[in-house]
């Protein structure tokens, strides 16, 4: 089954797009996601897909065109990073509010200023509350698998919300890894045929989209969006189960790595989870009960499941590769801390902001974090609630 | 493309229903009705945020009997690009058989200013759609603020006629000329006071493959401080003073479609609008002169291009 290949995260994402074969794809190039659209454009040029490309003049227009195309009634995808996602920001809300199942491949990158083209999750965190489902990936394989699953999640009739799938810029987008590409036919079969819901191009049934919604209806419509996001959790798991049945790779709302009996644990998104896993292996060999919770699905936020998975851990460090600049820690921190409020027993919890703008996270950094967690677990005392690491002092 | 006759038009269904909440005497609704009457094929409409959109689509009601999509202020053209691209895709796949045409609406704010980039991009990419700007010369929906289409001297809430500054101090942007630089197959200026001319242009634009653009003068009695029943009179005065020449550019060739018998002075148009009242004080006369000079200059150039572009008669 499938094909063993060596490719970058970007090329893997582009191949997922080729196999999904969307009807329309509108995009504007931005580093480090550019390669996704370059590769996909050559698939279009070679007639390997049926897609009509809209090479827009900006990300704002790219997302606007995706919105128009999705409303028209077909499968729509795009790719972006960083400033591009930020320029789409206004339209992200409109895609979600109109319940349009657009799928976005994202190579996570830092936001200006200062300008930096390397990997962190500031871009995705900026879009956190836009009503998009957010899925993150540790490596190219996961990015590829997640993008394929995203189509089914977005289009599910209980959801109809757009989905963005992230991977770390450069670290994953540009690194060549060994991975498995599924058979075209099998992917096609997995994602299925698209059935539009009330398409704009149905001229026999003219409909008005995007009307003025005053005090008398706006909140009801937002409530429906909230319900859709609540439904997403079970649909994501359902789609993951089908994916696992067909292709053998298991996905959940998050990955729990040596978490069952862990006394100290790290929470971290994307590629840094791989580094943490290596250190956990070392520590476990030394008898330290260390674990990892790697969020896969950040929107919807699986608070209950997270509380259940981390209850019993003595000390947890949430590591953020982004800063909310609220002077008390990165964006994941308050959400995890809030989820753990309901955990019994409730772990002690600290935050580290690390790796901004692509700064490397070394094994020694992770060892230091685990050492600090060990101390907290032992003494029951937190000395520093939140701080920057991997930074020059 | 069939010939446009009043008899045929009288049999057409009105596709913008009554009961919308546009102001009494608004030029935009007249323009939209004329446009939808002129369309031969089914159309799908996108619109920028603005008077036209908010007043015709107050949920759960809609005045549109054609598919209508509004997403934001600056992206009517980009949204239409996406809709049209999906149409091309589904048509190519045999999933759609009907012939559908695409119209994007924007006011001058959503076209000259915040929507300019998205318009330019869509024109360059060559989508098969018609962009229609209903130009009332200010951000009327948000409370009459200046736009880059506001004529020199006009008083708006962000270019008020004060003790030191007598209204807007800059000439308006000539968007029609800028659009022409995109070398699209068809563009025109029109006025609701010349409905047959306007509708012929719409029909021509919709029948033309590729991006087309119509700029239509759209009186707004709230912002122009003019008579409730003055829209048609004022738009005709805009034409008769050559403030708003009626012309088209087809495959790069200019044709003036209506030449006033006698070109009226711009004062004729200014004096029916309260927003220019202060210009008639002696100390502000220079603004009227400056405006007249610009109109004369532009009109002369247009006439010359028209003459040069007409086929030689044997």
């Amino acid at each position: 089954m499938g094909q063993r290949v060596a490719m970058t995260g970007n090329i893997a994402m582009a191949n997922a797009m080729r196999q999904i074969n969307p009807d329309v794809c509108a995009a504007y190039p931005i580093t480090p996601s550019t390669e996704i659209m370059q590769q996909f454009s050559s698939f279009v040029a070679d007639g390997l897909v049926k897609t009509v490309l809209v090479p827009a003049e900006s990300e704002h227009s790219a997302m606007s065109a995706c919105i128009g195309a999705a409303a028209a009634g077909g499968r729509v995808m795009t790719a972006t990073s960083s400033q591009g996602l930020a320029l789409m920001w206004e339209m992200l809300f409109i895609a979600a509010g109109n319940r349009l199942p657009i799928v976005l491949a994202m190579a996570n990158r830092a936001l200006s200023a200062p300008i930096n083209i390397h990997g962190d999750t500031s871009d995705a965190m900026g879009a956190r509350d836009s009503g998009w489902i957010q899925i993150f990936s540790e490596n190219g394989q996961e990015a590829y698998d997640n993008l394929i699953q995203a189509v089914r999640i977005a289009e599910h009739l209980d959801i109809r919300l757009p989905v963005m799938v992230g991977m770390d810029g450069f670290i994953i987008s540009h690194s060549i890894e060994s991975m498995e590409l599924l058979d075209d036919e099998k992917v096609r079969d997995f994602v299925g045929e698209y059935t539009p819901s009330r398409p704009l191009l149905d001229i026999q049934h003219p409909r008005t989209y995007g009307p003025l919604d005053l005090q008398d209806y706006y909140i009801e419509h937002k409530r429906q969006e909230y319900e859709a996001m609540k439904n997403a959790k079970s649909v994501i798991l359902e789609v993951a189960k089908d994916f696992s049945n067909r292709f053998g790779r298991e996905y959940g709302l998050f990955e729990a790595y040596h978490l069952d009996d862990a006394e100290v644990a790290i929470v971290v998104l994307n590629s840094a989870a791989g580094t943490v896993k290596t250190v956990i292996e070392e520590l476990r060999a030394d008898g330290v009960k260390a674990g990892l919770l790697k969020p896969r699905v950040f929107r919807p936020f699986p608070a209950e499941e997270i509380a259940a998975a981390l209850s019993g851990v003595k000390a947890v460090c949430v590591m953020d590769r982004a800063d909310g600049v609220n002077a008390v820690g990165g964006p994941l921190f308050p959400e995890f801390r809030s989820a753990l409020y309901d955990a019994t027993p409730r772990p002690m919890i600290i935050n580290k902001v690390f790796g901004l703008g692509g700064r490397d996270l070394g094994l020694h950094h992770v060892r230091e974090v685990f050492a600090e967690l060990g101390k907290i677990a032992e003494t029951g005392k937190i000395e520093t609630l939140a701080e920057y690491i991997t930074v020059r002092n | 493309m069939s010939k446009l006759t009043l008899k045929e038009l009288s049999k057409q269904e009105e596709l913008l229903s009554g009961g919308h909440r546009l102001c009494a005497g608004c030029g935009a609704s007249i323009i939209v009705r004329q446009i939808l009457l002129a369309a031969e094929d089914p159309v799908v409409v996108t619109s920028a945020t603005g008077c036209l959109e908010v007043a015709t689509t107050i949920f759960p009601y809609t005045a549109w009997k054609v598919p209508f999509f509004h997403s934001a202020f600056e992206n009517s053209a980009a949204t239409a690009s996406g809709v049209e691209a999906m149409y091309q895709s589904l048509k190519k796949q045999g999933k759609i058989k009907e012939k559908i045409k695409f119209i994007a609406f924007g006011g001058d704010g959503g076209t000259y200013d915040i929507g300019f980039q998205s318009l330019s991009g869509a024109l360059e990419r060559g989508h098969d759609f018609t962009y229609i700007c209903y130009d009332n010369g200010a951000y009327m929906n948000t409370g009459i603020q200046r736009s880059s289409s506001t004529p020199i001297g006009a008083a708006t809430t962000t270019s008020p006629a004060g003790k030191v500054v007598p209204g807007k101090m800059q000439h308006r942007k000539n968007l029609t000329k800028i659009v022409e630089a995109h070398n699209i197959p068809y563009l025109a200026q029109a006025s609701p006071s010349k409905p047959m001319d306007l509708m012929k242009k719409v029909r021509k634009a919709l029948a033309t493959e590729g991006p087309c653009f119509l700029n239509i003068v759209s009186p707004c009695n709230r912002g122009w401080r003019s008579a409730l029943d003055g829209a048609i009179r004022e738009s005709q005065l805009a034409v008769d003073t050559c403030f708003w020449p009626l012309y088209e550019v087809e495959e790069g060739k200019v044709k003036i479609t209506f030449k006033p018998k006698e070109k009226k002075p711009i004062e004729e148009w200014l004096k029916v609008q309260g927003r220019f009242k202060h210009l008639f004080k002696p100390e502000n006369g220079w603004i009227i002169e400056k405006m007249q000079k610009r109109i004369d200059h532009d009109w002369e150039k247009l006439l010359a291009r028209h003459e040069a572009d007409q086929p030689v008669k044997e």
Side-chain angles (χ1 to χ4, degrees):
Chain A
M1 195 183 83
Q3 191 192 351
R4 204 78 214 162
V5 293
M7 54 176 59
T8 66
N10 276 340
I11 301 298
M13 289 274 223
N15 271 289
M17 287 173 70
R18 174 182 58 76
Q19 295 173 319
I20 292 161
N21 199 4
D23 299 298
V24 167
C25 191
Y28 185 78
I30 183 164
T31 304
S33 70
T34 319
E35 203 183 18
I36 301 174
M37 285 311 300
Q38 282 176 357
Q39 180 66 58
F40 188 73
S41 299
S42 74
F43 293 146
V44 174
D46 289 336
L48 299 179
V49 286
K50 66 186 176 190
T51 313
V52 170
L53 270 189
V54 182
E57 85 295 337
S58 71
E59 286 90 349
H60 192 286
S61 284
M63 185 46 66
S64 301
C66 285
I67 286 167
R75 205 166 254 163
V76 178
M77 297 184 80
T78 187
T80 199
S81 291
S82 185
Q83 305 301 122
L85 190 68
L87 188 54
M88 286 180 180
W89 192 80
E90 181 199 22
M91 301 316 299
L92 296 177
F93 286 76
I94 292 174
N98 279 301
R99 309 286 300 279
L100 299 171
I102 299 161
V103 173
L104 183 152
M106 171 175 58
N108 294 118
R109 170 190 146 184
L111 283 174
S112 292
I115 187 168
N116 175 292
I117 57 168
H118 288 277
D120 74 32
T121 52
S122 308
D123 50 4
M125 291 303 131
R128 197 183 51 179
D129 302 334
S130 61
W132 283 58
I133 290 169
Q134 291 193 325
I135 300 179
F136 290 90
S137 325
E138 183 181 329
N139 49 42
Q141 181 75 70
E142 288 191 5
Y144 169 85
D145 292 351
N146 282 335
L147 201 63
I148 291 167
Q149 292 176 65
V151 174
R152 283 260 302 264
I153 296 163
E155 291 169 6
H156 195 286
L157 285 177
D158 293 345
I159 303 186
R160 301 277 305 177
L161 283 175
V163 181
M164 54 179 79
V165 174
M167 63 181 167
D168 279 337
F170 286 105
I171 301 167
I172 300 304
S173 69
H174 284 64
S175 295
I176 294 174
E177 296 170 43
S178 162
M179 53 177 288
E180 188 203 15
L181 274 196
L182 303 168
D183 294 336
D184 292 0
E185 282 306 308
K186 285 180 179 161
V187 173
R188 217 150 282 176
D189 194 45
F190 178 80
V191 297
E193 271 289 307
Y194 180 71
T195 315
S197 173
R198 301 183 183 88
L200 199 61
L201 290 174
D202 178 1
I203 47 173
Q204 270 76 45
H205 303 94
R207 293 180 179 93
T208 292
Y209 271 88
L212 178 67
D213 224 13
L214 295 174
Q215 301 93 319
D216 47 0
Y217 284 101
Y218 180 82
I219 195 168
E220 279 74 20
H221 287 140
K222 295 314 278 186
R223 162 74 181 275
Q224 289 178 351
E225 207 181 316
Y226 160 80
E227 294 293 341
M229 189 56 94
K230 277 182 84 170
N231 294 340
K233 214 159 65 175
S234 62
V235 171
I236 290 167
L237 290 174
E238 202 179 285
V239 171
K241 193 160 185 234
D242 189 30
F243 189 87
S244 145
N245 288 342
R246 294 182 196 223
F247 307 122
R249 282 189 291 274
E250 308 262 348
Y251 290 96
L253 299 170
F254 48 79
E255 183 186 344
Y257 188 81
H258 287 299
L259 206 55
D260 283 348
D261 63 339
E263 287 178 352
V264 286
I266 283 177
V267 171
V268 73
L269 285 175
N270 278 2
S271 68
T275 312
V276 174
K277 283 176 185 171
T278 303
V279 174
I280 288 173
E281 291 301 329
E282 285 175 15
L283 293 175
R284 286 268 164 183
D286 292 344
V288 180
K289 289 184 173 171
L292 163 76
L293 187 147
K294 178 186 80 180
R296 171 178 179 244
V297 177
F298 185 54
R299 284 289 179 274
F301 188 68
E304 275 172 53
E305 292 82 352
I306 283 164
L310 288 174
S311 72
V313 176
K314 285 181 182 154
V316 174
C317 178
V318 175
M319 293 181 58
D320 268 294
R321 202 166 204 150
D323 188 7
V325 207
N326 59 359
V328 286
L332 297 190
F333 182 47
E335 302 221 13
F336 275 81
R337 209 170 173 216
S338 163
L340 291 187
Y341 189 81
D342 298 321
T344 26
R346 189 193 301 160
M348 312 277 287
I349 180 165
I350 58 170
N351 180 235
K352 305 288 181 198
V353 172
F354 77 100
L356 302 186
R359 174 65 56 83
D360 273 343
L361 176 75
L363 295 171
H364 64 286
H365 295 118
V366 179
R367 285 186 200 114
E368 281 162 23
V369 171
F370 272 123
E372 188 178 337
L373 288 173
K375 213 172 140 197
I376 292 169
E378 202 181 299
T379 60
K381 280 204 181 93
I382 290 173
E383 272 179 24
T384 311
L385 183 68
E387 64 173 350
Y388 270 54
I389 60 166
T390 67
V391 66
R392 286 194 196 94
N393 284 313
Chain B
M1 189 175 83
S2 61
K3 206 169 169 262
L4 200 80
T5 65
L6 279 175
K7 197 175 166 189
E8 178 220 324
L9 290 172
S10 68
K11 293 177 193 156
Q12 299 268 29
E13 187 196 0
E14 287 274 5
L15 296 171
L16 184 77
S17 74
H20 56 69
R21 271 81 155 237
L22 283 159
C23 300
C26 171
S29 51
I30 303 170
I31 290 166
V32 171
R33 286 175 53 222
Q34 292 182 5
I35 289 166
L36 295 178
L37 276 176
E40 288 180 289
D41 298 309
V43 292
V44 173
V45 168
T46 66
S47 174
T49 311
C51 295
L52 178 63
E53 169 266 325
V54 299
T56 56
T57 70
I58 304 180
F59 190 86
Y61 306 105
T62 180
W64 296 87
K65 296 184 186 175
V66 296
F68 177 93
F69 194 103
H70 155 258
S71 78
F73 190 12
E74 66 280 53
N75 61 358
S76 187
T79 309
S81 303
V83 179
E84 190 264 355
M86 183 56 78
Y87 171 69
Q88 299 300 348
S89 179
L90 297 180
K91 208 170 169 205
K92 199 171 69 181
Q93 295 173 53
K95 290 183 180 170
I96 283 188
K97 305 272 188 289
E98 300 101 328
K99 190 173 177 191
I100 304 176
K101 293 290 176 176
F102 301 92
I103 297 177
F105 282 105
D108 49 294
T111 308
Y112 285 65
D113 295 336
I114 194 170
F116 178 62
Q117 174 185 313
S118 119
L119 171 65
S120 177
L123 297 178
E124 182 272 333
R125 289 191 300 273
H127 295 281
D128 190 8
F129 80 122
T130 296
Y131 191 98
I132 289 164
C133 174
Y134 67 101
D135 182 347
N136 52 32
Y139 302 126
M140 299 305 184
N141 185 50
T142 43
I144 318 164
Q145 292 85 21
R146 88 185 287 276
S147 79
S148 63
S149 170
T150 303
I152 189 169
T156 72
T157 54
T158 51
S159 64
K163 287 181 184 140
V164 183
V165 184
K168 192 198 178 202
M169 285 294 88
Q170 303 81 19
H171 284 295
R172 61 192 294 276
K173 189 191 271 183
N174 190 334
L175 184 69
T176 312
K177 265 168 95 173
I178 298 168
V179 166
E180 195 194 333
H182 290 75
N183 292 319
I184 57 173
Y186 183 78
L187 69 130
Q189 285 200 162
S191 161
S193 63
K194 290 280 174 210
M196 292 307 272
D197 176 76
L198 185 149
M199 290 191 275
K200 268 185 213 161
K201 287 168 177 168
V202 170
R203 197 160 270 196
K204 205 183 254 187
L206 291 174
T208 303
E209 208 176 302
C212 298
F213 175 82
L214 295 184
N215 207 353
I216 304 178
V217 64
S218 180
C220 165
N221 53 53
R222 291 275 301 111
W224 291 17
R225 305 284 180 226
S226 55
L228 271 184
D229 61 354
I232 297 304
R233 197 166 52 241
E234 289 148 20
S235 52
Q236 186 55 36
L237 276 171
V239 173
D240 287 340
T241 55
C242 295
F243 169 81
W244 197 267
L246 299 185
Y247 72 104
E248 60 188 10
V249 184
E250 202 172 349
E251 299 298 343
K253 293 213 184 325
V254 170
K255 187 180 167 196
I256 294 172
T257 58
F258 174 79
K259 226 180 272 184
K261 278 199 191 90
E262 178 206 353
K263 180 166 165 276
K264 293 182 173 164
I266 191 60
E267 278 97 334
E268 297 285 309
W269 185 63
L270 299 179
K271 72 184 180 195
V272 295
Q273 300 176 56
R275 61 175 174 160
F276 296 116
K277 203 168 75 185
H278 58 287
L279 297 188
F280 292 93
K281 289 181 187 165
E283 66 269 29
N284 292 334
W286 64 274
I287 300 173
I288 300 181
E289 272 172 44
K290 197 172 171 183
M291 192 174 186
Q292 185 67 60
K293 228 170 141 181
R294 170 63 68 99
I295 290 169
D296 293 346
H297 173 261
D298 287 352
W299 177 242
E300 290 304 320
K301 281 186 93 167
L302 192 68
L303 277 173
R305 285 191 62 195
H306 170 87
E307 290 306 322
D309 286 348
Q310 292 322 294
V312 184
K313 285 184 184 123
E314 296 283 318

